[in-house]
Amino acid sequence: MGHFSISDLEQLSGIKAHTIRMWEQRYGLLRPVRTATNIRMYCDDDLRRLLNVSTLCGRGKRISQVACLSDAEIQAAVLACCNDAHDYHQQVNALLAAMLSFDEQRLNYLLNEATDQLGFEKMMLFVAYPLLQRIGLMWLAGTVNPAQEHLLAHLLRQKLLAATDALPCVPTSARRWVLFLPANEMHELALLFMNYALRARSQHTLYLGQNLPTAELHAVCETYRPDAIATVLTSQPERSKIGEFAREVAAMCPDKLLVLYGPLARQEGLELPKNCVVPELMTDFLALVGEHEPEPVAA
C-alpha cells in the first residue's frame, strides 16, 4: 500500500495541492489519514480516485458531479471519455489509475485505444514514456508496488515485440545496427523501442537483448559488421566505469557509431570515445536515425 504526501499527489496527478485540499473539504473526495504531526497521508485508493477525477474534470465534467459518483461509475466514465487522441495527460492518468488497480484488461484497452488513435510510435513517445516517467517518480518516493510496475512493463514489452514482428523484413544490405544491454542490465523497454524504430525506418538490426558481456561483442562485430552499436545504461555498469565501458565497446568495432542512451550515460564530465553520441531524449535518438516512421496505410 502506497503512502503519499499531498505534494506527491500534486506531482503525480497535475492537480494543485490547494485544489486537492478544497476538493477534500467541500466534497469529501479523498480521506487522508493524519500523522502524529498532523500531516496528511494518502493511500493508493486516494491516488487512483484523484487520477480518475482529474481525467473527467479535464474532459469538462464538473467536480460537484464527479464527486457524487462511486468508484465504479467514475471508472466507467473514464473509459467512455478517453477518446481524444491528443489529450496525452488524461491518457497517462487513466493508465496510471488502471495500473494501480492491477486492471490488466483496462490497461490493455487504453494502450490499444491510444495506438489506434496515434500510431504505435507516437503512443510510445507521448503516452507510454510519460507514464513510465511518472512511475519513476513513484519509485523515488517509494510509493509504487513492484508488481504494478511489472504488470505495465510486461504489457508494453508484449506490444513492442508484436509491433516489431509485424514490420516487413529489412534486407541485410541496409544500414546495420547491433543492439544490446550490458552485463547485469535488465531494463529492456527502451532498447526494444529503439529496435522497433530502426526496423520501421528500414534499417537492419541484430537484437541481442539483456545482460550481454562486453567481450562477446568482438565475434559479433567481426561476423555481422555493423555500421552502428546502441545500448541503454539504466543501472549498469557502475557510474565510475561508464567511460571504461564505452571505450571497451568502441574498441570492438573501431570507427563505428556508438550510441549510449539512458540516465547513466548522461553524467557530466564523462570522457567518451569520439565516435560515441549520447542522445538526451528518445526523440533525439530518432532524429539521429533520420527518417520518420512510415505512416500507417489506411484500410
Side-chain angles (χ1 to χ4, degrees):
M1 181 70 72
H3 296 284
F4 305 91
S5 68
I6 197 165
S7 61
D8 291 332
L9 293 193
E10 180 180 49
Q11 194 169 29
L12 291 167
S13 70
I15 303 294
K16 296 292 186 184
H18 170 75
T19 302
I20 296 171
R21 292 190 193 97
M22 183 181 70
W23 287 357
E24 280 178 30
Q25 294 166 3
R26 189 171 297 177
Y27 304 108
L29 187 70
L30 307 177
R31 295 177 176 82
V33 297
R34 298 274 185 167
T35 67
T37 53
N38 205 35
I39 295 173
R40 289 177 173 88
M41 294 302 294
Y42 301 82
C43 67
D44 286 344
D45 288 340
D46 293 319
L47 174 58
R48 182 166 55 248
R49 185 172 176 83
L50 182 62
L51 289 166
N52 283 331
V53 168
S54 170
T55 298
L56 294 178
C57 290
R59 300 292 295 141
K61 305 291 185 183
R62 296 176 65 87
I63 181 60
S64 57
Q65 298 171 323
V66 176
C68 296
L69 301 176
S70 68
D71 284 344
E73 290 170 330
I74 288 174
Q75 288 187 10
V78 167
L79 282 176
C81 80
C82 284
N83 56 3
D84 185 341
H86 302 291
D87 195 347
Y88 307 132
H89 177 75
Q90 303 306 337
Q91 290 173 324
V92 169
N93 276 359
L95 282 160
L96 187 53
M99 184 198 76
L100 292 169
S101 300
F102 292 104
D103 192 338
E104 181 179 8
Q105 184 175 2
R106 187 171 168 218
L107 273 173
N108 201 45
Y109 171 84
L110 292 168
L111 289 169
N112 288 343
E113 186 79 2
T115 300
D116 290 343
Q117 293 168 344
L118 300 170
F120 185 76
E121 184 169 301
K122 288 182 179 178
M123 182 280 288
M124 288 297 301
L125 289 173
F126 301 126
V127 178
Y129 268 101
L131 175 61
L132 292 169
Q133 288 169 351
R134 293 266 198 101
I135 294 168
L137 293 174
M138 295 172 72
W139 269 112
L140 292 175
T143 53
V144 67
N145 183 324
Q148 293 164 335
E149 187 271 339
H150 285 193
L151 169 62
L152 176 66
H154 174 67
L155 278 177
L156 288 174
R157 186 177 187 277
Q158 282 184 314
K159 293 187 182 303
L160 281 161
L161 291 172
T164 303
D165 192 52
L167 293 171
C169 293
V170 178
T172 56
S173 57
R175 192 181 190 202
R176 297 152 77 90
W177 289 74
V178 168
L179 293 92
F180 79 102
L181 295 180
N184 302 313
E185 177 65 76
M186 306 302 290
H187 295 83
E188 195 179 14
L189 288 179
L191 195 73
L192 283 169
F193 180 69
M194 293 163 81
N195 187 49
Y196 168 83
L198 288 165
R199 292 195 182 189
R201 289 159 174 78
S202 299
Q203 301 194 34
H204 198 276
T205 62
L206 185 65
Y207 188 86
L208 302 179
Q210 304 165 319
N211 191 27
L212 183 78
T214 308
E216 304 300 327
L217 286 173
H218 180 70
V220 172
C221 290
E222 280 199 339
T223 303
Y224 180 67
R225 299 189 179 278
D227 299 292
I229 305 172
T231 189
V232 179
L233 309 182
T234 303
S235 62
Q236 298 293 330
E238 296 177 14
R239 286 180 176 271
S240 61
K241 296 182 178 179
I242 301 295
E244 177 185 339
F245 166 80
R247 289 187 290 274
E248 186 178 355
V249 173
M252 301 289 176
C253 289
D255 304 320
K256 304 300 182 184
L257 176 66
L258 171 59
V259 178
L260 301 183
Y261 184 77
L264 288 181
R266 296 194 294 268
Q267 298 178 71
E268 292 186 7
L270 283 179
E271 294 186 10
L272 299 173
K274 292 182 179 180
N275 60 329
C276 182
V277 297
V278 182
E280 183 173 354
L281 303 171
M282 187 59 73
T283 49
D284 297 327
F285 172 75
L286 298 180
L288 173 70
V289 171
E291 302 169 6
H292 295 291
E293 179 192 27
E295 291 294 330
V297 178

